[in-house]
Amino acid sequence: LDDAGGVRLAAGLASNHGLEVLLLRNNSLHEASALALTEALERNTSMTQINLELNSIDMRLMVKIKQLLGRNAKIREKGLPGKYRQRIKELKQFEQEVEWLNCGLERNRLMKRKALWKQAAKFQELTDEKEMGKRRQREAEERIEELLITQNNVEEEIRALEAKLGTLRQEGSYEISQLNLRIEGVQGKMESVGKHLQSTRSQLEEFEDKASNEIEKKSEELDRALKGQNSAALLASAAQRGLDSFSSALKAIGEDIAGGDNPRQRMARLNPEEGASKPSKDATKKPLARPRSGRGDR
């Protein structure tokens, strides 16, 4: 039964005055159903028992429902005649006394049964202890015989082990002497190796000092070389600028020179004897051939 069914059931209980006991154990009822049942019980005075175990209902709502059910029980008891109420009280007292007597009888039966069990257990324990004592005595005698045999075997093994121990001691003393000799030899080697390491360490330190000095000198030489390279680069750039300026100046005056900047295109000048007279037709038509430069002309 879920909350929807619980709400509908509570709505029916509000107008039902004949139902007195309602069992709703182990259902899926939650707070909504509990609130609906609380509202229904506020109007219903005939319901005296509701079982809501194993449901997801808040404890406060459970207490409220229990209070309303107690109120209905009191209302129902007050509605009965006086003699019936008195008789009900007497019957309840009788019922309580019967329960006490039944409890006492059951307790006495249990105590009697426990006493009988304890008596039987004690008797069985005595019997078992007697049998256990006899069995333990036989086991102890057998164990003593086994221990005597084991003692003889152990004594024989001890004698054999003592003989082996003497042999091992003799062999061990020889091996110890050999090991001592080896240890002395190893110690001598270690001392020589230590001396060699010490000398090697000192040589290494000297080499490191020399190497550091040489590295410093080479670093200084490298710095000087880099400075010279930088100055040479500056001089080369200055020379390049001079050549560029000279080339531009040469191009600027090339037009005033006969033949321009190409010597092969220059025209042969007149002889100084001819003065400022005009050149002949042959001279104007064909330029004078310039002798070729070569090793033979030199």
Side-chain angles (χ1 to χ4, degrees):
L1 184 65
D2 56 0
D3 280 335
V7 171
R8 290 195 295 271
L9 179 62
L13 289 175
S15 59
N16 189 343
H17 298 286
L19 187 62
E20 295 181 357
V21 179
L22 181 62
L23 301 178
L24 297 175
R25 187 176 183 276
N26 195 9
N27 285 288
S28 299
L29 300 179
H30 296 82
E31 187 174 357
S33 299
L35 289 172
L37 288 172
T38 304
E39 293 176 358
L41 288 173
E42 288 178 354
R43 290 178 287 175
N44 187 331
T45 58
S46 63
M47 183 69 63
T48 58
Q49 292 183 11
I50 298 178
N51 190 349
L52 294 173
E53 294 178 355
L54 301 178
N55 286 287
S56 301
I57 298 175
D58 191 9
M59 186 58 64
R60 293 175 297 178
L61 295 174
M62 292 288 290
V63 172
K64 182 66 175 177
I65 292 170
K66 186 175 181 181
Q67 290 176 355
L68 293 172
L69 292 173
R71 181 205 64 184
N72 293 343
K74 289 180 180 180
I75 291 171
R76 182 171 178 271
E77 186 176 354
K78 288 180 180 179
L80 294 174
K83 61 178 182 179
Y84 291 140
R85 288 198 298 271
Q86 184 65 28
R87 186 60 179 168
I88 289 170
K89 288 181 181 179
E90 292 176 357
L91 290 174
K92 286 182 178 179
Q93 290 178 357
F94 293 156
E95 185 179 1
Q96 189 175 5
E97 291 177 358
V98 169
E99 288 180 358
W100 290 344
L101 291 173
N102 288 329
C103 291
L105 290 174
E106 185 67 24
R107 186 167 56 253
N108 292 332
R109 283 197 296 271
L110 291 174
M111 291 175 66
K112 185 178 179 181
R113 191 178 300 171
K114 287 180 181 179
L116 292 174
W117 287 346
K118 288 181 180 180
Q119 185 178 1
K122 290 292 183 181
F123 181 76
Q124 187 65 34
E125 285 178 1
L126 290 174
T127 305
D128 294 339
E129 286 179 359
K130 289 180 180 180
E131 294 294 331
M132 184 67 69
K134 293 179 180 179
R135 187 166 59 252
R136 286 178 180 176
Q137 185 177 1
R138 288 194 300 270
E139 291 177 355
E141 292 175 355
E142 293 175 357
R143 183 63 178 168
I144 290 170
E145 291 178 359
E146 292 177 358
L147 289 174
L148 291 174
I149 295 170
T150 305
Q151 183 179 3
N152 296 327
N153 295 329
V154 168
E155 289 177 355
E156 292 178 358
E157 290 179 359
I158 289 171
R159 288 192 292 271
L161 289 173
E162 287 178 350
K164 288 182 180 180
L165 181 61
T167 305
L168 290 174
R169 284 178 179 175
Q170 294 176 359
E171 294 177 355
S173 61
Y174 175 74
E175 291 181 355
I176 289 169
S177 61
Q178 294 295 323
L179 288 173
N180 289 327
L181 293 175
R182 290 181 183 178
I183 289 169
E184 291 176 357
V186 171
Q187 288 178 351
K189 290 181 180 179
M190 289 176 65
E191 291 177 356
S192 63
V193 169
K195 293 178 181 179
H196 180 68
L197 288 173
Q198 186 67 28
S199 62
T200 305
R201 189 179 293 108
S202 61
Q203 292 176 2
L204 181 60
E205 291 176 354
E206 293 177 358
F207 175 74
E208 288 179 351
D209 294 335
K210 291 180 180 179
S212 61
N213 294 328
E214 290 182 359
I215 288 170
E216 290 178 357
K217 292 179 181 179
K218 294 297 181 181
S219 299
E220 293 176 356
E221 292 177 0
L222 180 61
D223 293 335
R224 290 195 295 271
L226 291 174
K227 291 179 181 178
Q229 184 178 1
N230 293 329
S231 61
L234 294 173
L235 293 174
S237 62
Q240 185 65 36
R241 289 195 297 272
L243 288 174
D244 294 338
S245 62
F246 178 75
S247 298
S248 61
L250 185 61
K251 288 181 181 179
I253 64 173
E255 296 177 355
D256 298 334
I257 300 173
D261 56 353
N262 190 358
R264 295 183 180 181
Q265 298 296 330
R266 297 175 184 175
M267 299 296 292
R269 294 181 180 276
L270 295 175
N271 294 326
E273 299 175 353
E274 293 178 355
S277 61
K278 295 180 180 180
S280 63
K281 294 180 180 180
D282 295 333
T284 57
K285 290 180 181 178
K286 185 177 181 181
L288 293 175
R290 185 178 179 181
R292 296 180 181 177
S293 62
R295 295 181 181 177
D297 295 339
R298 292 179 185 174

